[in-house]
Amino acid sequence: AQSVTQLGSHVSVSEGALVLLRCNYSSSVPPYLFWYVQYPNQGLQLLLKYTTGATLVKGINGFEAEFKKSETSFHLTKPSAHMSDAAEYFCAVREDSNYQLIWGAGTKLIIKP
Amino acid sequence: IAGITQAPTSQILAAGRRMTLRCTQDMRHNAMYWYRQDLGLGLRLIHYSNTAGTTGKGEVPDGYSVSRANTDDFPLTLASAVPSQTSVYFCASKINGAAGELFFGEGSRLTVL
């Protein structure tokens, strides 16, 4: 069965610093991978996705993620954090058998002024 | 504005009472989902529907039921609420033909006492 692991339930960075949120997955076939963001008291929205092709994918708000098959990783990065990036971020992989999404537990990003 | 509408946004309920959470979308998406979100556990799928007239069980279906009489509506019913069903519930729909791009409602916060 596929699974998703997000390292760190909370990540704290200073405004202007690099953001790195880690996601590792398990999958026996080439995966479809996703990052979603949840702002306080809102539903989730798609940040970016990897399906096929270029392994570096760009999303909204300056975020990007790189699919690394050898490391089974799909880490999310942003060069310079803004206060508005404070939110919870979820990594997900698409299940092969029924195309449902398997979710990580989420990482709360805290931005320090 | 196109999207998903969930109601109520918040509810406090006595244990043993019946409760229906409503979800309506106006995007003509075929697939719809109900998730619950609990601290540290991420999102867990309760029930889903791939198209009107069909439903399926997710990861945590016990104590919940759904129906899909038409494309737009996907209500979630708790027949006899228990305190462990205290959670934030999210309804989502999947863009037709998309790999895993879900569109989420704003959530319904349910407290069972």
Side-chain angles (χ1 to χ4, degrees):
Chain A
Q2 289 160 291
S3 64
V4 176
T5 302
Q6 291 184 239
L7 290 177
S9 59
H10 292 77
V11 170
S12 181
V13 303
S14 298
E15 192 173 17
L18 171 71
V19 174
L20 170 60
L21 304 182
R22 299 177 187 274
C23 174
N24 288 88
Y25 67 91
S26 69
S27 176
S28 57
V29 298
Y32 283 19
L33 296 159
F34 307 85
W35 277 99
Y36 282 78
V37 60
Q38 183 181 30
Y39 297 105
N41 300 312
Q42 294 187 24
L44 284 74
Q45 58 183 281
L46 182 69
L47 198 57
L48 50 80
K49 65 177 180 179
Y50 168 79
T51 55
T52 59
T55 56
L56 181 64
V57 293
K58 296 184 184 300
I60 60 173
N61 301 334
F63 284 92
E64 60 183 37
E66 186 171 11
F67 166 57
K68 291 188 176 180
K69 184 178 178 181
S70 61
E71 299 177 7
T72 60
S73 69
F74 191 55
H75 301 331
L76 182 70
T77 60
K78 182 173 180 177
S80 177
H82 294 166
M83 295 300 293
S84 60
D85 294 327
E88 189 154 19
Y89 293 80
F90 292 90
C91 183
V93 63
R94 194 183 77 169
E95 238 285 331
D96 300 326
S97 60
N98 59 19
Y99 297 159
Q100 308 288 3
L101 292 185
I102 307 297
W103 297 87
T107 298
K108 193 165 191 174
L109 178 62
I110 300 161
I111 311 297
K112 296 178 292 186
Chain B
I1 297 175
I4 293 182
T5 302
Q6 289 186 235
T9 55
S10 181
Q11 182 76 45
I12 298 173
L13 188 67
R17 297 297 295 269
R18 180 184 179 90
M19 178 72 194
T20 294
L21 304 180
R22 300 184 297 279
C23 175
T24 300
Q25 54 114 349
D26 60 2
M27 299 172 286
R28 310 302 293 172
H29 291 167
N30 291 328
M32 297 186 73
Y33 307 85
W34 273 106
Y35 289 94
R36 60 178 289 173
Q37 183 178 27
D38 302 289
L39 196 63
L41 297 177
L43 291 170
R44 292 183 290 169
L45 182 64
I46 305 171
H47 284 287
Y48 65 94
S49 168
N50 287 329
T51 189
T54 69
T55 62
K57 292 182 179 180
E59 182 184 355
V60 288
D62 294 343
Y64 305 94
S65 63
V66 291
S67 61
R68 188 87 184 277
N70 56 60
T71 296
D72 298 344
D73 300 300
F74 191 43
L76 176 74
T77 297
L78 289 66
S80 179
V82 295
S84 62
Q85 292 177 311
T86 293
S87 187
V88 181
Y89 292 86
F90 286 98
C91 180
S93 65
K94 187 169 80 70
I95 299 169
N96 296 339
E101 295 179 44
L102 301 184
F103 198 92
F104 283 81
E106 298 279 303
S108 295
R109 182 176 295 275
L110 183 66
T111 303
V112 183
L113 301 176

